[in-house]
PDB file of all heavy atoms in Angstrom:
ATOM      1  N   LYS A1386      -6.043 -11.584  -2.333  1.00 97.00           N
ATOM      2  CA  LYS A1386      -7.036 -10.620  -2.817  1.00 97.00           C
ATOM      3  C   LYS A1386      -7.075  -9.338  -1.991  1.00 97.00           C
ATOM      4  O   LYS A1386      -7.415  -8.269  -2.515  1.00 97.00           O
ATOM      5  CB  LYS A1386      -8.427 -11.259  -2.801  1.00 97.00           C
ATOM      6  CG  LYS A1386      -8.565 -12.485  -3.698  1.00 97.00           C
ATOM      7  CD  LYS A1386      -8.401 -12.123  -5.161  1.00 97.00           C
ATOM      8  CE  LYS A1386      -8.667 -13.326  -6.052  1.00 97.00           C
ATOM      9  NZ  LYS A1386      -8.460 -12.981  -7.494  1.00 97.00           N
ATOM     10  N   ASN A1387      -6.760  -9.407  -0.707  1.00 98.00           N
ATOM     11  CA  ASN A1387      -6.975  -8.278   0.198  1.00 98.00           C
ATOM     12  C   ASN A1387      -5.675  -7.585   0.566  1.00 98.00           C
ATOM     13  O   ASN A1387      -4.709  -8.233   0.975  1.00 98.00           O
ATOM     14  CB  ASN A1387      -7.672  -8.764   1.466  1.00 98.00           C
ATOM     15  CG  ASN A1387      -8.983  -9.464   1.166  1.00 98.00           C
ATOM     16  OD1 ASN A1387      -9.864  -8.888   0.542  1.00 98.00           O
ATOM     17  ND2 ASN A1387      -9.107 -10.717   1.581  1.00 98.00           N
ATOM     18  N   ASP A1388      -5.674  -6.258   0.438  1.00 98.00           N
ATOM     19  CA  ASP A1388      -4.503  -5.453   0.764  1.00 98.00           C
ATOM     20  C   ASP A1388      -4.949  -4.274   1.630  1.00 98.00           C
ATOM     21  O   ASP A1388      -5.835  -3.504   1.235  1.00 98.00           O
ATOM     22  CB  ASP A1388      -3.842  -4.951  -0.514  1.00 98.00           C
ATOM     23  CG  ASP A1388      -2.544  -4.208  -0.260  1.00 98.00           C
ATOM     24  OD1 ASP A1388      -2.007  -4.310   0.856  1.00 98.00           O
ATOM     25  OD2 ASP A1388      -2.067  -3.517  -1.191  1.00 98.00           O
ATOM     26  N   ILE A1389      -4.357  -4.138   2.806  1.00 98.00           N
ATOM     27  CA  ILE A1389      -4.693  -3.056   3.736  1.00 98.00           C
ATOM     28  C   ILE A1389      -3.480  -2.150   3.901  1.00 98.00           C
ATOM     29  O   ILE A1389      -2.365  -2.631   4.143  1.00 98.00           O
ATOM     30  CB  ILE A1389      -5.129  -3.615   5.095  1.00 98.00           C
ATOM     31  CG1 ILE A1389      -6.382  -4.479   4.918  1.00 98.00           C
ATOM     32  CG2 ILE A1389      -5.402  -2.487   6.092  1.00 98.00           C
ATOM     33  CD1 ILE A1389      -6.793  -5.212   6.167  1.00 98.00           C
ATOM     34  N   GLY A1390      -3.689  -0.853   3.767  1.00 98.00           N
ATOM     35  CA  GLY A1390      -2.575   0.079   3.839  1.00 98.00           C
ATOM     36  C   GLY A1390      -2.830   1.249   4.765  1.00 98.00           C
ATOM     37  O   GLY A1390      -3.974   1.571   5.100  1.00 98.00           O
ATOM     38  N   ALA A1391      -1.736   1.900   5.194  1.00 98.00           N
ATOM     39  CA  ALA A1391      -1.788   3.140   5.964  1.00 98.00           C
ATOM     40  C   ALA A1391      -1.557   4.305   5.007  1.00 98.00           C
ATOM     41  O   ALA A1391      -0.691   4.239   4.125  1.00 98.00           O
ATOM     42  CB  ALA A1391      -0.732   3.134   7.064  1.00 98.00           C
ATOM     43  N   VAL A1392      -2.329   5.384   5.179  1.00 98.00           N
ATOM     44  CA  VAL A1392      -2.359   6.485   4.218  1.00 98.00           C
ATOM     45  C   VAL A1392      -1.959   7.794   4.894  1.00 98.00           C
ATOM     46  O   VAL A1392      -2.368   8.074   6.025  1.00 98.00           O
ATOM     47  CB  VAL A1392      -3.773   6.647   3.617  1.00 98.00           C
ATOM     48  CG1 VAL A1392      -3.769   7.709   2.514  1.00 98.00           C
ATOM     49  CG2 VAL A1392      -4.305   5.328   3.089  1.00 98.00           C
ATOM     50  N   ALA A1393      -1.177   8.612   4.176  1.00 98.00           N
ATOM     51  CA  ALA A1393      -0.878   9.981   4.596  1.00 98.00           C
ATOM     52  C   ALA A1393      -0.762  10.844   3.355  1.00 98.00           C
ATOM     53  O   ALA A1393      -0.223  10.402   2.324  1.00 98.00           O
ATOM     54  CB  ALA A1393       0.413  10.039   5.406  1.00 98.00           C
ATOM     55  N   GLY A1394      -1.280  12.072   3.423  1.00 98.00           N
ATOM     56  CA  GLY A1394      -1.209  12.936   2.244  1.00 98.00           C
ATOM     57  C   GLY A1394      -1.593  14.366   2.555  1.00 98.00           C
ATOM     58  O   GLY A1394      -1.995  14.704   3.676  1.00 98.00           O
ATOM     59  N   VAL A1395      -1.473  15.220   1.542  1.00 98.00           N
ATOM     60  CA  VAL A1395      -1.857  16.632   1.646  1.00 98.00           C
ATOM     61  C   VAL A1395      -2.708  17.010   0.445  1.00 98.00           C
ATOM     62  O   VAL A1395      -2.617  16.386  -0.625  1.00 98.00           O
ATOM     63  CB  VAL A1395      -0.620  17.559   1.727  1.00 98.00           C
ATOM     64  CG1 VAL A1395       0.157  17.317   3.000  1.00 98.00           C
ATOM     65  CG2 VAL A1395       0.277  17.372   0.502  1.00 98.00           C
ATOM     66  N   GLN A1396      -3.525  18.041   0.641  1.00 97.00           N
ATOM     67  CA  GLN A1396      -4.431  18.497  -0.410  1.00 97.00           C
ATOM     68  C   GLN A1396      -4.532  20.012  -0.382  1.00 97.00           C
ATOM     69  O   GLN A1396      -4.589  20.614   0.699  1.00 97.00           O
ATOM     70  CB  GLN A1396      -5.805  17.863  -0.206  1.00 97.00           C
ATOM     71  CG  GLN A1396      -6.886  18.340  -1.143  1.00 97.00           C
ATOM     72  CD  GLN A1396      -8.206  17.642  -0.869  1.00 97.00           C
ATOM     73  OE1 GLN A1396      -8.316  16.431  -0.987  1.00 97.00           O
ATOM     74  NE2 GLN A1396      -9.224  18.405  -0.475  1.00 97.00           N
ATOM     75  N   VAL A1397      -4.572  20.635  -1.551  1.00 97.00           N
ATOM     76  CA  VAL A1397      -4.731  22.080  -1.676  1.00 97.00           C
ATOM     77  C   VAL A1397      -6.007  22.354  -2.464  1.00 97.00           C
ATOM     78  O   VAL A1397      -6.192  21.818  -3.565  1.00 97.00           O
ATOM     79  CB  VAL A1397      -3.522  22.720  -2.389  1.00 97.00           C
ATOM     80  CG1 VAL A1397      -3.756  24.212  -2.586  1.00 97.00           C
ATOM     81  CG2 VAL A1397      -2.248  22.479  -1.593  1.00 97.00           C
ATOM     82  N   GLN A1398      -6.887  23.162  -1.894  1.00 94.00           N
ATOM     83  CA  GLN A1398      -8.175  23.477  -2.516  1.00 94.00           C
ATOM     84  C   GLN A1398      -8.079  24.797  -3.269  1.00 94.00           C
ATOM     85  O   GLN A1398      -7.595  25.803  -2.734  1.00 94.00           O
ATOM     86  CB  GLN A1398      -9.271  23.574  -1.448  1.00 94.00           C
ATOM     87  CG  GLN A1398     -10.679  23.685  -1.995  1.00 94.00           C
ATOM     88  CD  GLN A1398     -11.232  22.347  -2.452  1.00 94.00           C
ATOM     89  OE1 GLN A1398     -10.854  21.304  -1.925  1.00 94.00           O
ATOM     90  NE2 GLN A1398     -12.119  22.372  -3.432  1.00 94.00           N
ATOM     91  N   VAL A1399      -8.562  24.817  -4.522  1.00 95.00           N
ATOM     92  CA  VAL A1399      -8.637  26.033  -5.335  1.00 95.00           C
ATOM     93  C   VAL A1399     -10.045  26.084  -5.911  1.00 95.00           C
ATOM     94  O   VAL A1399     -10.349  25.404  -6.898  1.00 95.00           O
ATOM     95  CB  VAL A1399      -7.587  26.048  -6.455  1.00 95.00           C
ATOM     96  CG1 VAL A1399      -7.676  27.358  -7.238  1.00 95.00           C
ATOM     97  CG2 VAL A1399      -6.184  25.847  -5.902  1.00 95.00           C
ATOM     98  N   ALA A1400     -10.903  26.884  -5.277  1.00 90.00           N
ATOM     99  CA  ALA A1400     -12.317  26.952  -5.665  1.00 90.00           C
ATOM    100  C   ALA A1400     -12.939  25.556  -5.577  1.00 90.00           C
ATOM    101  O   ALA A1400     -12.858  24.913  -4.534  1.00 90.00           O
ATOM    102  CB  ALA A1400     -12.460  27.559  -7.055  1.00 90.00           C
ATOM    103  N   GLN A1401     -13.519  25.062  -6.674  1.00 92.00           N
ATOM    104  CA  GLN A1401     -14.164  23.754  -6.666  1.00 92.00           C
ATOM    105  C   GLN A1401     -13.197  22.617  -6.983  1.00 92.00           C
ATOM    106  O   GLN A1401     -13.589  21.445  -6.986  1.00 92.00           O
ATOM    107  CB  GLN A1401     -15.312  23.723  -7.690  1.00 92.00           C
ATOM    108  CG  GLN A1401     -16.451  24.680  -7.376  1.00 92.00           C
ATOM    109  CD  GLN A1401     -17.116  24.339  -6.053  1.00 92.00           C
ATOM    110  OE1 GLN A1401     -16.901  24.999  -5.039  1.00 92.00           O
ATOM    111  NE2 GLN A1401     -17.911  23.287  -6.043  1.00 92.00           N
ATOM    112  N   VAL A1402     -11.956  22.928  -7.252  1.00 96.00           N
ATOM    113  CA  VAL A1402     -10.955  21.933  -7.650  1.00 96.00           C
ATOM    114  C   VAL A1402      -9.925  21.790  -6.532  1.00 96.00           C
ATOM    115  O   VAL A1402      -9.571  22.769  -5.869  1.00 96.00           O
ATOM    116  CB  VAL A1402     -10.252  22.359  -8.958  1.00 96.00           C
ATOM    117  CG1 VAL A1402      -9.182  21.352  -9.363  1.00 96.00           C
ATOM    118  CG2 VAL A1402     -11.283  22.514 -10.070  1.00 96.00           C
ATOM    119  N   HIS A1403      -9.451  20.570  -6.320  1.00 96.00           N
ATOM    120  CA  HIS A1403      -8.361  20.371  -5.371  1.00 96.00           C
ATOM    121  C   HIS A1403      -7.270  19.506  -6.002  1.00 96.00           C
ATOM    122  O   HIS A1403      -7.527  18.675  -6.875  1.00 96.00           O
ATOM    123  CB  HIS A1403      -8.854  19.751  -4.056  1.00 96.00           C
ATOM    124  CG  HIS A1403      -9.407  18.365  -4.189  1.00 96.00           C
ATOM    125  ND1 HIS A1403     -10.754  18.106  -4.254  1.00 96.00           N
ATOM    126  CD2 HIS A1403      -8.796  17.156  -4.266  1.00 96.00           C
ATOM    127  CE1 HIS A1403     -10.950  16.807  -4.354  1.00 96.00           C
ATOM    128  NE2 HIS A1403      -9.770  16.200  -4.369  1.00 96.00           N
ATOM    129  N   PHE A1404      -6.051  19.723  -5.541  1.00 98.00           N
ATOM    130  CA  PHE A1404      -4.869  18.991  -5.991  1.00 98.00           C
ATOM    131  C   PHE A1404      -4.281  18.281  -4.771  1.00 98.00           C
ATOM    132  O   PHE A1404      -4.225  18.856  -3.678  1.00 98.00           O
ATOM    133  CB  PHE A1404      -3.841  19.933  -6.619  1.00 98.00           C
ATOM    134  CG  PHE A1404      -4.396  20.732  -7.766  1.00 98.00           C
ATOM    135  CD1 PHE A1404      -4.985  21.964  -7.560  1.00 98.00           C
ATOM    136  CD2 PHE A1404      -4.338  20.224  -9.057  1.00 98.00           C
ATOM    137  CE1 PHE A1404      -5.510  22.696  -8.615  1.00 98.00           C
ATOM    138  CE2 PHE A1404      -4.854  20.950 -10.126  1.00 98.00           C
ATOM    139  CZ  PHE A1404      -5.444  22.192  -9.897  1.00 98.00           C
ATOM    140  N   PHE A1405      -3.830  17.044  -4.969  1.00 98.00           N
ATOM    141  CA  PHE A1405      -3.400  16.264  -3.808  1.00 98.00           C
ATOM    142  C   PHE A1405      -2.198  15.384  -4.128  1.00 98.00           C
ATOM    143  O   PHE A1405      -1.938  15.031  -5.294  1.00 98.00           O
ATOM    144  CB  PHE A1405      -4.555  15.389  -3.291  1.00 98.00           C
ATOM    145  CG  PHE A1405      -5.027  14.345  -4.262  1.00 98.00           C
ATOM    146  CD1 PHE A1405      -4.456  13.081  -4.282  1.00 98.00           C
ATOM    147  CD2 PHE A1405      -6.035  14.631  -5.165  1.00 98.00           C
ATOM    148  CE1 PHE A1405      -4.882  12.113  -5.184  1.00 98.00           C
ATOM    149  CE2 PHE A1405      -6.470  13.670  -6.067  1.00 98.00           C
ATOM    150  CZ  PHE A1405      -5.893  12.413  -6.070  1.00 98.00           C
ATOM    151  N   GLY A1406      -1.487  15.031  -3.081  1.00 98.00           N
ATOM    152  CA  GLY A1406      -0.431  14.030  -3.138  1.00 98.00           C
ATOM    153  C   GLY A1406      -0.617  13.087  -1.960  1.00 98.00           C
ATOM    154  O   GLY A1406      -1.043  13.510  -0.880  1.00 98.00           O
ATOM    155  N   ARG A1407      -0.317  11.810  -2.179  1.00 98.00           N
ATOM    156  CA  ARG A1407      -0.632  10.814  -1.149  1.00 98.00           C
ATOM    157  C   ARG A1407       0.380   9.670  -1.199  1.00 98.00           C
ATOM    158  O   ARG A1407       0.847   9.291  -2.272  1.00 98.00           O
ATOM    159  CB  ARG A1407      -2.048  10.291  -1.379  1.00 98.00           C
ATOM    160  CG  ARG A1407      -2.600   9.413  -0.290  1.00 98.00           C
ATOM    161  CD  ARG A1407      -4.054   9.047  -0.605  1.00 98.00           C
ATOM    162  NE  ARG A1407      -4.935  10.209  -0.611  1.00 98.00           N
ATOM    163  CZ  ARG A1407      -6.220  10.153  -0.950  1.00 98.00           C
ATOM    164  NH1 ARG A1407      -6.755   9.005  -1.309  1.00 98.00           N
ATOM    165  NH2 ARG A1407      -6.950  11.249  -0.920  1.00 98.00           N
ATOM    166  N   TYR A1408       0.678   9.127  -0.008  1.00 98.00           N
ATOM    167  CA  TYR A1408       1.538   7.947   0.097  1.00 98.00           C
ATOM    168  C   TYR A1408       0.791   6.861   0.859  1.00 98.00           C
ATOM    169  O   TYR A1408       0.151   7.129   1.877  1.00 98.00           O
ATOM    170  CB  TYR A1408       2.841   8.278   0.833  1.00 98.00           C
ATOM    171  CG  TYR A1408       3.707   7.064   1.096  1.00 98.00           C
ATOM    172  CD1 TYR A1408       4.425   6.468   0.068  1.00 98.00           C
ATOM    173  CD2 TYR A1408       3.797   6.511   2.369  1.00 98.00           C
ATOM    174  CE1 TYR A1408       5.207   5.344   0.300  1.00 98.00           C
ATOM    175  CE2 TYR A1408       4.584   5.395   2.615  1.00 98.00           C
ATOM    176  CZ  TYR A1408       5.283   4.817   1.576  1.00 98.00           C
ATOM    177  OH  TYR A1408       6.050   3.707   1.801  1.00 98.00           O
ATOM    178  N   VAL A1409       0.883   5.631   0.351  1.00 98.00           N
ATOM    179  CA  VAL A1409       0.230   4.481   0.978  1.00 98.00           C
ATOM    180  C   VAL A1409       1.246   3.362   1.139  1.00 98.00           C
ATOM    181  O   VAL A1409       1.940   3.000   0.174  1.00 98.00           O
ATOM    182  CB  VAL A1409      -0.961   3.968   0.139  1.00 98.00           C
ATOM    183  CG1 VAL A1409      -1.658   2.823   0.854  1.00 98.00           C
ATOM    184  CG2 VAL A1409      -1.937   5.095  -0.167  1.00 98.00           C
ATOM    185  N   TYR A1410       1.326   2.818   2.349  1.00 97.00           N
ATOM    186  CA  TYR A1410       2.193   1.669   2.604  1.00 97.00           C
ATOM    187  C   TYR A1410       1.342   0.477   3.013  1.00 97.00           C
ATOM    188  O   TYR A1410       0.553   0.560   3.962  1.00 97.00           O
ATOM    189  CB  TYR A1410       3.205   1.963   3.708  1.00 97.00           C
ATOM    190  CG  TYR A1410       4.120   0.783   3.987  1.00 97.00           C
ATOM    191  CD1 TYR A1410       5.175   0.489   3.126  1.00 97.00           C
ATOM    192  CD2 TYR A1410       3.907  -0.047   5.081  1.00 97.00           C
ATOM    193  CE1 TYR A1410       5.995  -0.601   3.353  1.00 97.00           C
ATOM    194  CE2 TYR A1410       4.725  -1.143   5.317  1.00 97.00           C
ATOM    195  CZ  TYR A1410       5.769  -1.411   4.445  1.00 97.00           C
ATOM    196  OH  TYR A1410       6.570  -2.499   4.670  1.00 97.00           O
ATOM    197  N   GLY A1411       1.492  -0.630   2.299  1.00 97.00           N
ATOM    198  CA  GLY A1411       0.737  -1.838   2.591  1.00 97.00           C
ATOM    199  C   GLY A1411       1.200  -2.482   3.886  1.00 97.00           C
ATOM    200  O   GLY A1411       2.388  -2.788   4.048  1.00 97.00           O
ATOM    201  N   ILE A1412       0.255  -2.713   4.783  1.00 97.00           N
ATOM    202  CA  ILE A1412       0.588  -3.264   6.098  1.00 97.00           C
ATOM    203  C   ILE A1412       0.719  -4.779   6.066  1.00 97.00           C
ATOM    204  O   ILE A1412       1.620  -5.364   6.669  1.00 97.00           O
ATOM    205  CB  ILE A1412      -0.481  -2.845   7.127  1.00 97.00           C
ATOM    206  CG1 ILE A1412      -0.501  -1.319   7.282  1.00 97.00           C
ATOM    207  CG2 ILE A1412      -0.222  -3.524   8.478  1.00 97.00           C
ATOM    208  CD1 ILE A1412      -1.639  -0.822   8.131  1.00 97.00           C
ATOM    209  N   ASN A1413      -0.183  -5.441   5.363  1.00 97.00           N
ATOM    210  CA  ASN A1413      -0.190  -6.909   5.378  1.00 97.00           C
ATOM    211  C   ASN A1413       0.642  -7.490   4.247  1.00 97.00           C
ATOM    212  O   ASN A1413       0.885  -6.847   3.223  1.00 97.00           O
ATOM    213  CB  ASN A1413      -1.617  -7.453   5.309  1.00 97.00           C
ATOM    214  CG  ASN A1413      -2.321  -7.075   4.027  1.00 97.00           C
ATOM    215  OD1 ASN A1413      -2.387  -5.901   3.651  1.00 97.00           O
ATOM    216  ND2 ASN A1413      -2.850  -8.062   3.329  1.00 97.00           N
ATOM    217  N   ASP A1414       1.081  -8.712   4.436  1.00 97.00           N
ATOM    218  CA  ASP A1414       1.834  -9.455   3.426  1.00 97.00           C
ATOM    219  C   ASP A1414       0.872  -9.895   2.325  1.00 97.00           C
ATOM    220  O   ASP A1414      -0.107 -10.589   2.595  1.00 97.00           O
ATOM    221  CB  ASP A1414       2.498 -10.662   4.089  1.00 97.00           C
ATOM    222  CG  ASP A1414       3.243 -11.546   3.102  1.00 97.00           C
ATOM    223  OD1 ASP A1414       3.551 -11.082   1.988  1.00 97.00           O
ATOM    224  OD2 ASP A1414       3.500 -12.724   3.445  1.00 97.00           O
ATOM    225  N   VAL A1415       1.146  -9.485   1.062  1.00 98.00           N
ATOM    226  CA  VAL A1415       0.239  -9.815  -0.037  1.00 98.00           C
ATOM    227  C   VAL A1415       0.706 -11.024  -0.850  1.00 98.00           C
ATOM    228  O   VAL A1415       0.036 -11.440  -1.787  1.00 98.00           O
ATOM    229  CB  VAL A1415       0.048  -8.609  -0.980  1.00 98.00           C
ATOM    230  CG1 VAL A1415      -0.629  -7.463  -0.246  1.00 98.00           C
ATOM    231  CG2 VAL A1415       1.381  -8.157  -1.586  1.00 98.00           C
ATOM    232  N   LEU A1416       1.835 -11.603  -0.488  1.00 97.00           N
ATOM    233  CA  LEU A1416       2.338 -12.777  -1.200  1.00 97.00           C
ATOM    234  C   LEU A1416       1.456 -13.985  -0.896  1.00 97.00           C
ATOM    235  O   LEU A1416       1.197 -14.299   0.265  1.00 97.00           O
ATOM    236  CB  LEU A1416       3.784 -13.049  -0.802  1.00 97.00           C
ATOM    237  CG  LEU A1416       4.447 -14.294  -1.408  1.00 97.00           C
ATOM    238  CD1 LEU A1416       4.496 -14.215  -2.927  1.00 97.00           C
ATOM    239  CD2 LEU A1416       5.850 -14.468  -0.834  1.00 97.00           C
ATOM    240  N   ASN A1417       1.023 -14.679  -1.932  1.00 96.00           N
ATOM    241  CA  ASN A1417       0.153 -15.844  -1.771  1.00 96.00           C
ATOM    242  C   ASN A1417       0.926 -17.153  -1.741  1.00 96.00           C
ATOM    243  O   ASN A1417       0.474 -18.131  -1.134  1.00 96.00           O
ATOM    244  CB  ASN A1417      -0.875 -15.880  -2.903  1.00 96.00           C
ATOM    245  CG  ASN A1417      -1.909 -16.967  -2.718  1.00 96.00           C
ATOM    246  OD1 ASN A1417      -2.534 -17.065  -1.670  1.00 96.00           O
ATOM    247  ND2 ASN A1417      -2.083 -17.799  -3.736  1.00 96.00           N
ATOM    248  N   VAL A1418       2.080 -17.193  -2.380  1.00 94.00           N
ATOM    249  CA  VAL A1418       2.880 -18.416  -2.486  1.00 94.00           C
ATOM    250  C   VAL A1418       4.164 -18.238  -1.687  1.00 94.00           C
ATOM    251  O   VAL A1418       5.070 -17.524  -2.105  1.00 94.00           O
ATOM    252  CB  VAL A1418       3.205 -18.753  -3.953  1.00 94.00           C
ATOM    253  CG1 VAL A1418       4.053 -20.014  -4.037  1.00 94.00           C
ATOM    254  CG2 VAL A1418       1.921 -18.907  -4.759  1.00 94.00           C
ATOM    255  N   HIS A1419       4.242 -18.893  -0.535  1.00 91.00           N
ATOM    256  CA  HIS A1419       5.433 -18.808   0.306  1.00 91.00           C
ATOM    257  C   HIS A1419       6.253 -20.093   0.147  1.00 91.00           C
ATOM    258  O   HIS A1419       5.748 -21.179   0.434  1.00 91.00           O
ATOM    259  CB  HIS A1419       5.059 -18.606   1.770  1.00 91.00           C
ATOM    260  CG  HIS A1419       4.482 -17.261   2.053  1.00 91.00           C
ATOM    261  ND1 HIS A1419       3.135 -16.984   1.881  1.00 91.00           N
ATOM    262  CD2 HIS A1419       5.051 -16.104   2.487  1.00 91.00           C
ATOM    263  CE1 HIS A1419       2.912 -15.720   2.205  1.00 91.00           C
ATOM    264  NE2 HIS A1419       4.045 -15.169   2.578  1.00 91.00           N
ATOM    265  N   PRO A1420       7.490 -19.965  -0.319  1.00 88.00           N
ATOM    266  CA  PRO A1420       8.317 -21.164  -0.499  1.00 88.00           C
ATOM    267  C   PRO A1420       8.603 -21.866   0.822  1.00 88.00           C
ATOM    268  O   PRO A1420       8.855 -21.218   1.845  1.00 88.00           O
ATOM    269  CB  PRO A1420       9.602 -20.615  -1.132  1.00 88.00           C
ATOM    270  CG  PRO A1420       9.635 -19.168  -0.743  1.00 88.00           C
ATOM    271  CD  PRO A1420       8.210 -18.724  -0.653  1.00 88.00           C
ATOM    272  N   ALA A1421       8.555 -23.185   0.786  1.00 81.00           N
ATOM    273  CA  ALA A1421       8.761 -23.970   2.006  1.00 81.00           C
ATOM    274  C   ALA A1421      10.158 -23.761   2.583  1.00 81.00           C
ATOM    275  O   ALA A1421      10.360 -23.804   3.794  1.00 81.00           O
ATOM    276  CB  ALA A1421       8.522 -25.449   1.714  1.00 81.00           C
ATOM    277  N   GLU A1422      11.132 -23.501   1.690  1.00 74.00           N
ATOM    278  CA  GLU A1422      12.509 -23.373   2.147  1.00 74.00           C
ATOM    279  C   GLU A1422      12.848 -21.960   2.633  1.00 74.00           C
ATOM    280  O   GLU A1422      13.911 -21.724   3.192  1.00 74.00           O
ATOM    281  CB  GLU A1422      13.473 -23.770   1.023  1.00 74.00           C
ATOM    282  CG  GLU A1422      13.430 -22.893  -0.225  1.00 74.00           C
ATOM    283  CD  GLU A1422      12.377 -23.319  -1.222  1.00 74.00           C
ATOM    284  OE1 GLU A1422      11.535 -24.178  -0.874  1.00 74.00           O
ATOM    285  OE2 GLU A1422      12.405 -22.799  -2.351  1.00 74.00           O
ATOM    286  N   ARG A1423      11.920 -20.980   2.419  1.00 78.00           N
ATOM    287  CA  ARG A1423      12.161 -19.601   2.841  1.00 78.00           C
ATOM    288  C   ARG A1423      10.890 -19.025   3.468  1.00 78.00           C
ATOM    289  O   ARG A1423      10.031 -18.504   2.789  1.00 78.00           O
ATOM    290  CB  ARG A1423      12.598 -18.749   1.639  1.00 78.00           C
ATOM    291  CG  ARG A1423      13.986 -19.056   1.087  1.00 78.00           C
ATOM    292  CD  ARG A1423      15.071 -18.654   2.087  1.00 78.00           C
ATOM    293  NE  ARG A1423      15.003 -17.257   2.454  1.00 78.00           N
ATOM    294  CZ  ARG A1423      15.611 -16.285   1.774  1.00 78.00           C
ATOM    295  NH1 ARG A1423      16.321 -16.563   0.698  1.00 78.00           N
ATOM    296  NH2 ARG A1423      15.519 -15.033   2.178  1.00 78.00           N
ATOM    297  N   THR A1424      10.771 -19.117   4.780  1.00 79.00           N
ATOM    298  CA  THR A1424       9.572 -18.645   5.457  1.00 79.00           C
ATOM    299  C   THR A1424       9.633 -17.150   5.795  1.00 79.00           C
ATOM    300  O   THR A1424       8.664 -16.595   6.316  1.00 79.00           O
ATOM    301  CB  THR A1424       9.366 -19.428   6.764  1.00 79.00           C
ATOM    302  OG1 THR A1424      10.525 -19.264   7.596  1.00 79.00           O
ATOM    303  CG2 THR A1424       9.154 -20.913   6.471  1.00 79.00           C
ATOM    304  N   ASP A1425      10.770 -16.513   5.487  1.00 88.00           N
ATOM    305  CA  ASP A1425      10.947 -15.110   5.842  1.00 88.00           C
ATOM    306  C   ASP A1425      10.604 -14.156   4.703  1.00 88.00           C
ATOM    307  O   ASP A1425      10.804 -12.946   4.823  1.00 88.00           O
ATOM    308  CB  ASP A1425      12.388 -14.868   6.287  1.00 88.00           C
ATOM    309  CG  ASP A1425      13.395 -15.213   5.189  1.00 88.00           C
ATOM    310  OD1 ASP A1425      13.096 -16.105   4.358  1.00 88.00           O
ATOM    311  OD2 ASP A1425      14.478 -14.590   5.148  1.00 88.00           O
ATOM    312  N   ILE A1426      10.093 -14.646   3.590  1.00 93.00           N
ATOM    313  CA  ILE A1426       9.804 -13.803   2.433  1.00 93.00           C
ATOM    314  C   ILE A1426       8.403 -13.202   2.558  1.00 93.00           C
ATOM    315  O   ILE A1426       7.420 -13.928   2.700  1.00 93.00           O
ATOM    316  CB  ILE A1426       9.934 -14.599   1.124  1.00 93.00           C
ATOM    317  CG1 ILE A1426      11.378 -15.068   0.941  1.00 93.00           C
ATOM    318  CG2 ILE A1426       9.493 -13.757  -0.065  1.00 93.00           C
ATOM    319  CD1 ILE A1426      11.604 -15.893  -0.302  1.00 93.00           C
ATOM    320  N   ASN A1427       8.332 -11.869   2.487  1.00 95.00           N
ATOM    321  CA  ASN A1427       7.058 -11.147   2.533  1.00 95.00           C
ATOM    322  C   ASN A1427       7.040 -10.074   1.449  1.00 95.00           C
ATOM    323  O   ASN A1427       8.089  -9.486   1.128  1.00 95.00           O
ATOM    324  CB  ASN A1427       6.853 -10.485   3.900  1.00 95.00           C
ATOM    325  CG  ASN A1427       6.803 -11.490   5.040  1.00 95.00           C
ATOM    326  OD1 ASN A1427       5.935 -12.348   5.061  1.00 95.00           O
ATOM    327  ND2 ASN A1427       7.747 -11.390   5.966  1.00 95.00           N
ATOM    328  N   TRP A1428       5.862  -9.797   0.910  1.00 97.00           N
ATOM    329  CA  TRP A1428       5.687  -8.736  -0.072  1.00 97.00           C
ATOM    330  C   TRP A1428       4.719  -7.694   0.471  1.00 97.00           C
ATOM    331  O   TRP A1428       3.675  -8.020   1.039  1.00 97.00           O
ATOM    332  CB  TRP A1428       5.138  -9.288  -1.387  1.00 97.00           C
ATOM    333  CG  TRP A1428       6.106 -10.124  -2.172  1.00 97.00           C
ATOM    334  CD1 TRP A1428       7.402 -10.432  -1.856  1.00 97.00           C
ATOM    335  CD2 TRP A1428       5.836 -10.770  -3.421  1.00 97.00           C
ATOM    336  NE1 TRP A1428       7.962 -11.212  -2.813  1.00 97.00           N
ATOM    337  CE2 TRP A1428       7.035 -11.447  -3.795  1.00 97.00           C
ATOM    338  CE3 TRP A1428       4.727 -10.855  -4.246  1.00 97.00           C
ATOM    339  CZ2 TRP A1428       7.127 -12.186  -4.966  1.00 97.00           C
ATOM    340  CZ3 TRP A1428       4.817 -11.584  -5.420  1.00 97.00           C
ATOM    341  CH2 TRP A1428       6.009 -12.243  -5.786  1.00 97.00           C
ATOM    342  N   HIS A1429       5.071  -6.416   0.275  1.00 97.00           N
ATOM    343  CA  HIS A1429       4.221  -5.307   0.703  1.00 97.00           C
ATOM    344  C   HIS A1429       4.099  -4.291  -0.437  1.00 97.00           C
ATOM    345  O   HIS A1429       5.076  -4.007  -1.134  1.00 97.00           O
ATOM    346  CB  HIS A1429       4.805  -4.615   1.941  1.00 97.00           C
ATOM    347  CG  HIS A1429       4.824  -5.478   3.151  1.00 97.00           C
ATOM    348  ND1 HIS A1429       3.776  -5.531   4.052  1.00 97.00           N
ATOM    349  CD2 HIS A1429       5.763  -6.346   3.618  1.00 97.00           C
ATOM    350  CE1 HIS A1429       4.068  -6.386   5.011  1.00 97.00           C
ATOM    351  NE2 HIS A1429       5.263  -6.886   4.778  1.00 97.00           N
TER     352      HIS A1429
END
């Protein structure tokens, strides 16, 4: 259920409106089902 990410981005303000671009990378492994035969599998 829980996903924590690191964020970086830029924003340009034009009067009351702003335009932005952003990148987020998930820090924690979000996979809930880890196969017993493969302990090295992670999802981000």
